[in-house]
Amino acid sequence: MDTHIVERLADYINDGLLKSEMIHAESEHSAISAALGAEAMGVRTFTATASQGLALMHEILFVVSGMRLPVVMAVANRALSAPINIWNDHQDSISERDSGWIQLYVESAQEALDTVIQAYKIAENRKILLPVMVCLDGFTLSHVYEPVDIPEKKEVDKFLPKYNPLFKLDTKKPITMGPIGFPNTYMEFRKETHEAMLNSIEVIKNTNNDFKKSFSRSYGDGLIEIYKIDDADYAVAAMGTVCGTTRVVVDELRKQGRKVGLIKIKSFRPFPKQKIINCCKNLKGIAVIDRNISLGNEGALYTELRSAFYNQKKKPIIKGFIAGLGGRDITLSHIKTAFNKIENSSDIEWLL
Amino acid sequence: MTKPKISVGAVIDEPGSTIKNKTGGWRSFRPIIDHKKCIKCGTCWQFCPDNAINENFEVNYDYCKGCGICANECPVKAIKMVKEEK
């Protein structure tokens, strides 16, 4: 599913448009290990994967973030086996929630491109130094053509100056990377990495603002994007392309006089709790649409949203919906059903 | 154990940091060399994975983890592994 992305990059390299070396690996475990090694040498690195490939990378994802290497990776979100399924849902990257990677979910091909450019600026920020996953819906964004404005190289260079790594492997100044962390230090390293992740909330926001100044495009505040929320009573909260479908439903229901809106969560990690609480404070209810399921509990975004509101005195009703697994279309009527069932008492519901 | 400094990504930018990490406390068996039996062949010195035996065939107990490779390799059985007792 990620193949189109790397195939096109191979074209760019072949045509002399991109000065880069492409490393062919025999597996995703090796591909992310090669990206780690390349990044340790102090060069900008990119890779792309999906589904089982991301699952195979699992072990090394934690090494990349723990070593604070700002790798950027596109994930063309797809379902996990079994049964074998090559279509879209978010189970692959949601399952890597705790890997220490920043996760940004995008709604359009344009946003995917713009977010990759921003991702380097976020990842390489000296206060952050964390890898970033740009999560784009498989097929819907990875295999469908839509017009995209590709910014000029010199404009991108102005926005994203040459990479200047904090540390790199260099025989003239040897360092040790990835050493053992004994019980007397491991926790401190984890805490530092967690704090870097929290600091990235501000950096993601600022990067979105800077991008707007340079390219006249922006995506909400970079962390969340709200649509017709100001006077809304009810809203859908979701990630990725389903937000596009939801905008259509919101417009339709608004024509019927219903006060509804959309909260698009772009940044799942870090989770911008306070920003979500602030924009939802006047809402009566939220329908969370999850394209994933934590089997035996509920959808991940639903869990996180409810947890964010737990200590708030005034909180909206929050209802969870599981939809669009394994490439099942999420239709306009699914989203209307979600809006209509917010006040229902049951916990989660499947939009089959 | 003193607290080592916390660097970004646990990068160590000065060589020799392993010296600070005394691993003798991991040991449950201590190698005792019988210097009367020892033929000074150097096998233990060569095999020790922690470089904890010096050229005079003395054990540095600050770093010896008690793996017993020296005792196993000694051709004249001059090294005995004795249980550490507190």
Side-chain angles (χ1 to χ4, degrees):
Chain A
M1 212 50 43
D2 50 295
T3 41
H4 281 196
I5 298 169
V6 287
E7 273 173 19
R8 195 51 61 90
L9 286 173
D11 288 346
Y12 286 167
I13 293 168
N14 181 62
D15 299 346
L17 297 168
L18 178 65
K19 272 189 218 150
S20 179
E21 190 175 332
M22 182 168 279
I23 303 171
H24 298 275
E26 73 279 17
S27 77
E28 284 81 357
H29 190 281
S30 304
I32 190 67
S33 299
L36 182 156
E39 194 72 49
M41 292 297 294
V43 296
R44 230 169 229 158
T45 309
F46 178 84
T47 187
T49 191
S51 183
Q52 309 302 124
L54 184 61
L56 188 55
M57 287 183 176
H58 175 76
E59 180 189 6
I60 308 302
L61 296 180
F62 289 71
V63 184
V64 176
S65 62
M67 288 174 70
R68 307 292 295 279
L69 296 169
V71 174
V72 173
M73 171 162 70
V75 176
N77 284 118
R78 281 203 290 127
L80 287 168
S81 292
I84 294 170
N85 178 293
I86 59 166
W87 294 273
N88 166 234
D89 69 31
H90 292 165
Q91 197 68 55
D92 50 359
S93 56
I94 290 293
S95 302
E96 303 303 342
R97 183 190 66 175
D98 299 335
S99 63
W101 285 59
I102 290 170
Q103 286 193 351
L104 304 172
Y105 289 78
V106 302
E107 186 183 344
S108 66
Q110 184 70 61
E111 190 179 4
L113 172 69
D114 293 347
T115 305
V116 167
I117 297 167
Q118 291 184 31
Y120 284 101
K121 197 157 173 143
I122 297 162
E124 292 166 6
N125 185 301
R126 290 281 172 94
K127 280 189 224 145
I128 311 306
L129 294 174
L130 285 173
V132 179
M133 263 180 223
V134 177
C135 304
L136 58 139
D137 283 317
F139 281 99
T140 321
L141 295 180
S142 64
H143 282 60
V144 175
Y145 283 79
E146 62 183 61
V148 165
D149 173 54
I150 299 178
E152 292 292 325
K153 186 176 188 305
K154 62 171 193 282
E155 282 172 47
V156 177
D157 287 345
K158 228 187 284 166
F159 173 78
L160 183 68
K162 209 164 176 273
Y163 177 37
N164 177 22
L166 179 62
F167 44 75
K168 62 175 181 179
L169 293 176
D170 182 356
T171 50
K172 289 189 194 108
K173 195 186 171 293
I175 56 166
T176 300
M177 292 171 94
I180 188 166
F182 284 100
N184 66 338
T185 55
Y186 182 85
M187 268 182 86
E188 278 76 6
F189 284 115
R190 293 290 280 172
K191 187 162 176 274
E192 256 212 357
T193 311
H194 171 63
E195 279 158 8
M197 187 63 98
L198 293 179
N199 290 339
S200 72
I201 289 181
E202 261 330 275
V203 174
I204 293 168
K205 200 182 104 188
N206 296 340
T207 307
N208 180 63
N209 284 340
D210 291 349
F211 192 87
K212 188 181 182 181
K213 279 180 212 146
S214 301
F215 303 100
S216 309
R217 277 193 301 273
S218 66
Y219 302 90
D221 67 355
L223 300 145
I224 60 170
E225 199 177 335
I226 49 175
Y227 183 65
K228 302 193 176 173
I229 281 292
D230 289 345
D231 65 336
D233 291 329
Y234 298 100
V236 156
M239 303 196 291
T241 52
V242 69
C243 295
T245 318
T246 307
R247 285 171 205 268
V248 175
V249 175
V250 166
D251 290 347
E252 218 176 281
L253 295 179
R254 284 244 165 207
K255 271 185 207 148
Q256 298 166 16
R258 290 172 66 181
K259 288 181 175 174
V260 291
L262 161 73
I263 309 149
K264 168 176 141 187
I265 313 290
K266 177 168 185 178
S267 174
F268 186 62
R269 278 295 175 277
F271 196 64
K273 250 186 232 185
Q274 203 49 52
K275 293 191 188 290
I276 295 169
I277 292 167
N278 293 347
C279 82
C280 296
K281 55 178 184 279
N282 297 322
L283 288 175
K284 287 182 188 156
I286 304 172
V288 182
I289 297 183
D290 267 296
R291 252 186 159 134
N292 69 85
I293 170 94
S294 176
L295 299 173
N297 194 28
E298 53 204 19
L301 185 58
Y302 177 58
T303 305
E304 308 243 343
L305 259 181
R306 285 211 306 177
S307 147
F309 279 99
Y310 184 77
N311 284 332
Q312 300 300 306
K313 277 192 193 108
K314 192 176 160 236
K315 47 193 153 215
I317 294 165
I318 306 177
K319 170 108 198 217
F321 295 90
I322 307 297
L325 303 191
R328 178 88 47 106
D329 278 338
I330 303 179
T331 62
L332 300 176
S333 79
H334 280 138
I335 292 166
K336 279 178 207 158
T337 305
F339 269 121
N340 292 338
K341 287 189 166 177
I342 293 177
E343 295 279 5
N344 282 19
S345 58
S346 66
D347 213 14
I348 66 161
E349 200 160 316
W350 289 66
L351 297 172
L352 296 166
Chain B
M1 240 180 178
T2 53
K3 276 231 179 280
K5 81 174 182 200
I6 304 294
S7 58
V8 175
V11 164
I12 300 169
D13 55 9
E14 278 171 33
S17 60
T18 313
I19 300 281
K20 294 176 201 154
N21 185 27
K22 293 190 176 173
T23 50
W26 300 13
R27 195 173 55 238
S28 45
F29 287 91
R30 159 189 292 254
I32 306 284
I33 302 180
D34 182 343
H35 288 278
K36 280 180 204 144
K37 277 194 195 169
C38 172
I39 56 167
K40 303 192 180 353
C41 64
T43 303
C44 58
W45 168 78
Q46 208 166 28
F47 272 84
C48 176
D50 268 308
N51 206 13
I53 297 177
N54 67 17
E55 293 88 337
N56 298 320
F57 314 115
E58 294 154 342
V59 180
N60 186 336
Y61 294 110
D62 278 347
Y63 301 101
C64 168
K65 294 172 185 156
C67 69
I69 289 174
C70 55
N72 193 57
E73 296 298 331
C74 177
V76 293
K77 304 280 167 233
I79 306 175
K80 239 196 272 176
M81 298 303 291
V82 180
K83 196 168 187 206
E84 288 284 0
E85 279 176 82
K86 282 179 188 161

